[in-house]
Amino acid sequence: MSEPVSKVAASGMNRVDGRGYGIEERPGLLIAVHDGEELRGDAYLPDHPGSFPGIVLLHGGAFTKGSRSSYATWGRFLASHGYVALSADYRLATNDRPTYPQCIWDVKAAIQFLRGAANDLRVDPQRLGVMGGSAGGYLAAMAALTAHEPAFTNPYADPYADLGAEVSVVVPMAGTFDLIAQWEHDRTARPPGADMAEAFIGGTPLDARRRYSEASPIFHASAANARGTKWLIAWGTLDDVTPPPLHSERLAHDLKLAGALVRLAPLVGAPHFWYMESEADQAGSYNVQFAGRLLSFLRTWSGWEGPEADPLT
C-alpha cells in the first residue's frame, strides 16, 4: 500500500529560472520485497500530462543510515522542472549484516520499477537517470556502470525484473568511488570506528582486497560500461570525508578515458554534506549553485533534449 497522493503548487522555492510545474507526490510506493524487507519509494511528478524523464534518487549515510525522505527537497525541485523523481530505499548495512552487493540489486530494482511503472508515473522509459550523494553517489555510479554485468543483475523475482536496469544520465555528489582508498582514508584521517566500507563490504581490504576492488565504481569504468552514459559529477572542494582527488576527480578522469560524456561541478569551499544543508533555492547556498548547473546539464548535455510536452519551455 502507498500513502495518499498529494498535490503541491509550484512555488518560488522550486523556480531557479522562473519556470515551474505543480507537483504531485506519491509517497510510500512499494518497489520490491527483497529477502523479506520491503523497499519503498517516494515519487515526485510534474502535475501535468506528458512523458517526462525519470530520475532515481539515492540517499547517503555511509551505507548504514539515512532515509529516502531526506531527498524530498531534490524530488520536488526536479518535479517542478519537468522531471519525475523517485527517492528509493535500499538495504542498510549493520556490523553483522554487510549489504554488498545486495543494495546494488535494490537500486537496480528501483530503476526497473521506474521503467515498468512508466505509464502510471508519466515517465519516458528511454530517458532514465540516477542521482545520489555520498553512499548514494556510490550506488548511482555502480548501478550505471554495472548495468550489463551478470554479477550485479537483480536476482529477485520482482514484478519488473525482466526489464533493463540501464540508465543514460548519472549525477553523483560527493561520492565514494574507490573503497580501498576510502578505507585507508578513514583509518588515518577519521575517528576510530568511522570505517564506512567495513560494515558495507564485511571485513577490510587486508583480508578481502579483491572484493573491495570489484565493489568500487572505478574498477568498472570500462569503455563497454561507460558507453552512452552522461555524467555530472559534483563535489565540495573542502570535502574531508570523501576527498575529491581520491574519488570524484579520479572517476571523472577514468570515465573520460572510457569515452563517457563527463561534466564537472566542483563547489568551491563546500564541505562533504553541502547537498543536504539547504533548500535548492536558498540564496547564497551551495545547493542553489548546483541546482542551476544540474538544470543546465539536464537540458543541454543529457541527450534528453528537455522534458517532452513542456508548455513552459
Side-chain angles (χ1 to χ4, degrees):
M1 295 291 290
S2 62
E3 299 298 325
V5 172
S6 64
K7 294 186 178 182
V8 182
S11 65
M13 68 166 284
N14 290 315
R15 289 183 180 175
V16 167
D17 61 358
R19 187 176 82 159
Y21 288 91
I23 304 165
E24 179 182 333
E25 299 186 8
R26 300 189 193 180
L29 301 177
L30 181 62
I31 293 171
V33 179
H34 287 178
D35 299 323
E37 187 167 337
E38 289 188 348
L39 303 171
R40 293 186 176 271
D42 300 331
Y44 304 86
L45 293 70
D47 186 16
H48 191 276
S51 181
F52 301 97
I55 301 175
V56 173
L57 304 179
L58 302 166
H59 67 80
F63 304 108
T64 61
K65 55 186 179 290
S67 167
R68 68 178 193 267
S69 64
S70 64
Y71 270 61
T73 289
W74 286 112
R76 292 172 184 138
F77 171 79
L78 287 165
S80 74
H81 288 279
Y83 303 90
V84 174
L86 177 70
S87 185
D89 286 338
Y90 56 87
R91 283 172 286 182
L92 301 177
T94 64
N95 288 334
D96 58 358
R97 188 190 76 162
T99 54
Y100 169 81
Q102 288 85 353
C103 66
I104 300 169
W105 298 336
D106 298 344
V107 173
K108 299 285 184 76
I111 296 168
Q112 291 168 321
F113 175 84
L114 193 56
R115 179 166 276 122
N119 287 340
D120 181 49
L121 295 177
R122 301 194 290 279
V123 170
D124 178 351
Q126 302 304 313
R127 297 188 289 170
L128 298 186
V130 283
M131 172 177 165
S134 196
Y138 163 91
L139 289 169
M142 276 295 284
L145 290 171
T146 65
H148 301 291
E149 293 194 10
F152 296 95
T153 298
N154 175 15
Y156 297 93
D158 298 333
Y160 303 114
D162 59 331
L163 299 181
E166 64 275 1
V167 296
S168 58
V169 166
V170 196
V171 185
M173 305 173 291
T176 304
F177 305 122
D178 181 340
L179 292 182
I180 293 176
Q182 187 63 48
W183 181 84
E184 293 173 351
H185 171 73
D186 289 346
R187 280 296 178 98
T188 59
R190 302 187 69 201
D195 305 308
M196 69 174 71
E198 286 191 25
F200 176 52
I201 299 294
T204 77
L206 303 179
D207 53 29
R209 196 169 189 88
R210 179 179 296 274
R211 189 169 175 84
Y212 267 72
S213 293
E214 293 176 349
S216 297
I218 60 167
F219 181 87
H220 300 277
S222 67
N225 290 340
R227 185 179 297 118
T229 57
K230 286 94 173 173
W231 297 69
L232 177 64
I233 302 178
W235 67 86
T237 60
L238 296 185
D239 187 340
D240 61 351
V241 177
T242 57
L246 299 180
H247 297 286
S248 294
E249 293 177 24
R250 186 175 171 195
L251 179 67
H253 173 266
D254 291 353
L255 287 169
K256 288 178 180 180
L257 289 177
L261 185 150
V262 181
R263 294 294 177 266
L264 308 179
L267 298 170
V268 177
H272 180 70
F273 296 105
W274 59 267
Y275 56 93
M276 298 297 297
E277 291 185 347
S278 71
E279 299 290 347
D281 73 329
Q282 185 172 317
S285 70
Y286 295 112
N287 270 0
V288 79
Q289 293 180 44
F290 178 68
R293 296 189 193 186
L294 175 62
L295 290 180
S296 177
F297 170 79
L298 292 175
R299 293 173 185 166
T300 305
W301 296 107
S302 69
W304 290 345
E305 299 180 355
E308 199 173 296
D310 185 348
L312 302 174
T313 299

